[in-house]
Amino acid sequence: MGNGNLLYVLRLGGVKILLLLLVSMAGFTLLHLAPGDPLSQFTLAPGMTAERLAQIAHGMGLDQPLWRQYLHWLHGIMTGDWGHSFRDQSPVLGIIVSHLTATIELGLAALGISFSLGLGMGLMGALRAGRAVDDVTSVISIILFSLPTFWLGLVFIYIFSVRLQWFPTGNFSSPGDRSIVGYLRHLALPALTLGLVSVPVWSRYMRTFAGEILKQDQIRTARALGLSSGRIIVHRLLRGALLPMIPVAGIYLPTLLSGALVTETVFSWPGIGRLFLDSLQYRDYPVVMGVLMFSAILVLVSSTLAELLHHVADPRLRA
Amino acid sequence: MTVQLPSVLRRLLAHPRGMVPTLYVPTIIVLCGLGPWLLPFGELHVDLYHRFLPPLGNGHLLGTDEIGRDVLSRVLMGGRVSLLVGLVSTAISTLIGTTVGIVAGYHAGLARFLITTVIDAVLCFPVVFLLLTLAAVLHPGIGTIIGIITLVSWMEVARVAQSQTRIVRRQDYVTAVVAMGAGDAQVLFREILPNILPAIIVSATLNIARAILLESYVSYLGYGIQPPDASWGNLLNNAQEYLESDPWLAIIPGAVIVLTVVMFNLLGDALRDAIDPSRRSS
Amino acid sequence: MTDRNAAPLLSVRNLTVSFGGPDIVDDLSFDIGQGEIVALVGESGSGKSVGSLAVMGLLENATIQGSACLSGGVGSGEQEASTELIGLPARRLRALRGRRISMIFQDPLSSLDPLQTIGGQIREVLKAHTRLTGVALHSRSIALLEQVGIVDPEGCLALLPQRLSGGMRQRVMIALAIAAEPDLLFADEPTTALDVTVQAQVLRLLKGLRDQTGMAMVFITHNLAVASAIADRVIVLYAGQVVEDAPADVFFRRPAMPYSRALLSAAPRLEAVLAGYGHLEAPRGQVPSPGQRGTACRFAARCDDVRDTPCLASMPPLVSIAANGEAHHTVRCARWEELAP
Ligand SMILES: Nc1ncnc2c1ncn2[C@@H]1O[C@H](COP(=O)(O)OP(=O)(O)O)[C@@H](O)[C@H]1O
Ligand code: SF4
Ligand SMILES: [Mg+2]
């Protein structure tokens, strides 16, 4: 790896750390804006006295100046002590991790659906630029982009569960049914919902990138040299267009998470999106902030990984 | 690039993809605006004898809801709120975004670095999570919704304004104007602003679509516009309960949202092509 | 080198190309002999590229009429029948491209795959047309790079196009184009993007390759000085038509068409161009655009020798003006005889 690359990675890392600090400050500020301070859960306890409250406040560090509280909180975030749920006092990080699997499964299935559909649509549009196919795929893109996720979910439930009764209306699994088929039947509708609404992310970028490559002389030259169209599409077009898609994956994650929250709510899918909404309803702010911080860190890490991967995968940057 | 309004309008109307949204958008705004005076039923008129009427039932074009209110009236009233949120939050975020974007685009260095870093930091949070948190923390109401949607929307405009400003700033004639000693204000208002305006308008149009969608998410999840006030999002609030027996309660308001958001998105795309026809071929 | 009596390698007849609008290339006819270097000259927009791309089968959304007949290959083992290129199915056309006819373009950087090493790109072409594998593939790649004058072929194989200079890239491009030993190479302004010293080197390389391999070449240029450095024969295109077709020595000594004369008198000598002095000036006025060509001589508006009759009466035909025993020479001018020196 060249010197320029090392410098690039260092700069990238520096900016990311700065970003993380900003993100954490935003999180901390929100936590303090929330109605009902952390003591409110104790004030109504029987036999509570002002003295006792002050003691608790001291114990929680609430009598410290705000910046010290922030540093304390940040230290906790970094060392894995993300606080405890107001609801059952269990550690926030543990709760989040236990809800993560469901979201990852849903997210991966949706990613598969949206990536393959989006890729195909973008590619078709680019290869038939200016023709009917291009128009149709771009209008489909716009429609999918304009669909409220929850409404699409409702429509799917109505069509496929209520009327056709092909799939269950929600939940992770049916009681007593542990089979893989049963699980997939539960996954199908939420994954389709989340997948379809995120198709445009991929299809639009694919259409742009593939369109740019098709305009380059290298395609005409490759044909002049007698390379087959299959070879040209796979080796020149796909390869060239997929490369800049890697950083797009970093942009995609926040969209996916937002969509997951809504999808999980509609389909009662026990992931971190629903955990977030439940916690918000119970005003369980430690968990709310935990999920916010967690997803922000996830987004940062994944976008960094995507950028690094792009750097490794693009031979022009590697050389 | 100077933009002549008549020719933009002509190109906009020349293609169905431009004409349909150009006609739809004012129509839906007028319909929702005049809604209460157009309809025989008040949006809050409860009629427990005519609950769950299907569309066309008993003079109700789109049927009635679980307490017998006229769905069409509620959709139009909901549209007032949803469109208001979309338009006002877009107006504010466009103002903020353009200002911030121009500053970041015009001055290289620390200002640009800080602004872009802050934007990136905000974008780290999934937008629906952020909206819900803010909505839950703040007092619910239409002002709050407008405020928080503005808060998560200005960055897109700022990005567009920033990159456009940088492009214009690099043009030879702007360099020449600067070299001749023109003040910042003169360059800004005479050269930069007119040149980046088309891109800003397009971005703002797309932003309206997004704001309407975001409002529907927040209201659907119960943190936005509170009943009995209607918005397109909260009409769907408890529609899931009645999905089995009365699906139109979910399908109709959702379809109106989709139609309107699609139209704003199409309008944005069509505007982009109409303002800069050379793009169309690409 | 040029044998006028043998059947031509490529025979283009009445080639007409349009993109849904007016004809861009209009009734083009010419022959390319085996091993011959023909310069296709004309101002920008005269249809040089479109005509060549039509023959290569590389135009999309174009309506192409006429014929382009490629005679059977002689060098490659068994004798092949001659092939009509216009309207040939895409599969068969693809099999011919690279192997029998090949093409290089003006900008070598954008012509090469930015993501693949030079070695990878050469192997890609060799695999498409030959059965070479392993060591043979490698040594053939090296040989090709040596053939186009690359000093460190082994090192070059591992590089990406972006690491090479403009001249090196065009050499690599040429190596790719000749990898499968085609009989005919279209070179569309291959030196225009290069600086002058490199231009001369690439011209020498192309001419040397022809001498070495007997490959014929259509060398497209808007620069007469460059044409004079390389061509055996010159075909002048004006507004989509052939207006003169002559052996290079005849053309540069005694051009017959007023347009050719105007071009030549405006053209500085080759040495001056290659040294970077002066630039080619087209005759006053502009080429009529495809929509406004009318039925008279298309050069009439710019011609010093124009007369109402015969010039404006009708479109002058392309006539042979070669005297007995002289080489092929055609011109499209109604007054060529009166104007002959
Ligand atoms: N794909 C195309 N579609 C429509 N017109 C084209 C296309 N390619 C070239 N032309 C037109 O054909 C004419 C000849 O172009 P070209 O052959 O590139 O000229 P030259 O190579 O002699 O400079 C020009 O007027 C050009 O605008
Ligand atoms: S035909 Fe007439 S106008 Fe045309 S080139 Fe000859 S002399 Fe000139
Ligand atoms: Mg050309």
Side-chain angles (χ1 to χ4, degrees), chain B residues 16-83:
Chain B
R17 267 181 77 170
M19 186 163 66
V20 175
T22 311
L23 297 178
Y24 176 89
V25 164
T27 309
I28 189 76
I29 291 176
V30 168
L31 273 183
C32 291
L34 297 180
W37 292 281
L38 294 178
L39 292 159
F41 310 96
E43 54 130 3
L44 292 177
H45 177 80
V46 176
D47 179 358
L48 292 175
Y49 292 105
H50 294 107
R51 300 163 52 199
F52 297 119
L53 283 179
L56 298 178
N58 205 21
H60 295 274
L61 198 59
L62 298 181
T64 58
D65 69 3
E66 68 269 25
I67 51 174
R69 288 172 300 190
D70 180 49
V71 172
L72 179 58
S73 307
R74 302 223 3 113
V75 165
L76 290 182
M77 287 309 288
R80 297 184 102 177
V81 174
S82 294
L83 289 171

Side-chain angles (χ1 to χ4, degrees), chain C residues 1-13 15 28-41 48 51-52 55 67-72 85 100-102 182-187 210 214-220 231-237 242 244-246 328:
Chain C
M1 195 69 39
T2 312
D3 184 359
R4 270 275 136 208
N5 299 318
L9 173 64
L10 176 73
S11 185
V12 174
R13 288 293 172 271
L15 184 71
L28 210 61
S29 297
F30 59 86
D31 289 339
I32 308 291
Q34 307 271 4
E36 189 180 29
I37 298 185
V38 175
L40 202 57
V41 303
K48 308 182 296 287
S52 317
V55 173
S67 136
C69 188
L70 185 69
S71 80
L85 298 175
R100 300 269 341 261
I101 48 173
S102 201
D183 303 312
L184 176 61
L185 176 71
F186 285 91
R210 189 276 308 267
M215 167 182 75
M217 202 180 305
V218 176
F219 191 98
I220 299 169
D232 303 322
R233 199 150 54 84
V234 177
I235 298 177
V236 182
L237 236 56
V242 175
E244 181 157 10
D245 179 344
H328 175 85

Side-chain angles (χ1 to χ4, degrees), chain A residues 220, chain C residues 17-25 40-53 59-62 188-189 220-222 237 240 288-290 293:
Chain A
R220 188 181 59 184
Chain C
V17 184
S18 70
F19 296 95
D23 293 344
I24 303 287
V25 163
L40 202 57
V41 303
E43 285 165 88
S44 171
S46 52
K48 308 182 296 287
S49 299
V50 169
S52 317
L53 291 168
L59 283 181
E60 288 177 50
N61 308 321
D188 191 349
E189 313 241 6
I220 299 169
T221 178
H222 62 270
L237 236 56
S289 66
R293 284 168 174 172

Side-chain angles (χ1 to χ4, degrees), chain C residues 257-259 297 299-300 303 305-307 311 316 332-335 339:
Chain C
M257 165 83 182
Y259 176 58
C297 170
F299 186 55
C303 184
D305 302 306
V306 60
R307 299 283 180 276
C311 304
R332 189 188 294 277
C333 171
R335 302 187 63 215
L339 297 171

Side-chain angles (χ1 to χ4, degrees), chain C residues 297-338:
Chain C
C297 170
R298 290 182 180 168
F299 186 55
R302 303 166 77 186
C303 184
D304 290 334
D305 302 306
V306 60
R307 299 283 180 276
D308 281 358
T309 43
C311 304
L312 301 182
S314 64
M315 170 80 65
L318 190 64
V319 293
S320 173
I321 62 169
N324 268 347
E326 271 185 9
H328 175 85
H329 188 175
T330 52
V331 68
R332 189 188 294 277
C333 171
R335 302 187 63 215
W336 71 270
E337 264 180 309
E338 303 166 52

Side-chain angles (χ1 to χ4, degrees), chain B residues 204-245:
Chain B
T205 312
L206 300 174
N207 197 74
I208 297 174
R210 198 174 105 106
I212 294 174
L213 262 187
L214 289 179
E215 186 278 329
S216 81
Y217 284 119
V218 180
S219 291
Y220 168 74
L221 293 170
Y223 287 88
I225 305 300
Q226 300 297 320
D229 288 338
S231 84
W232 282 341
N234 82 7
L235 286 182
L236 289 151
N237 234 331
N238 33 24
Q240 192 163 4
E241 277 175 53
Y242 309 112
L243 201 55
E244 216 155 311
S245 49

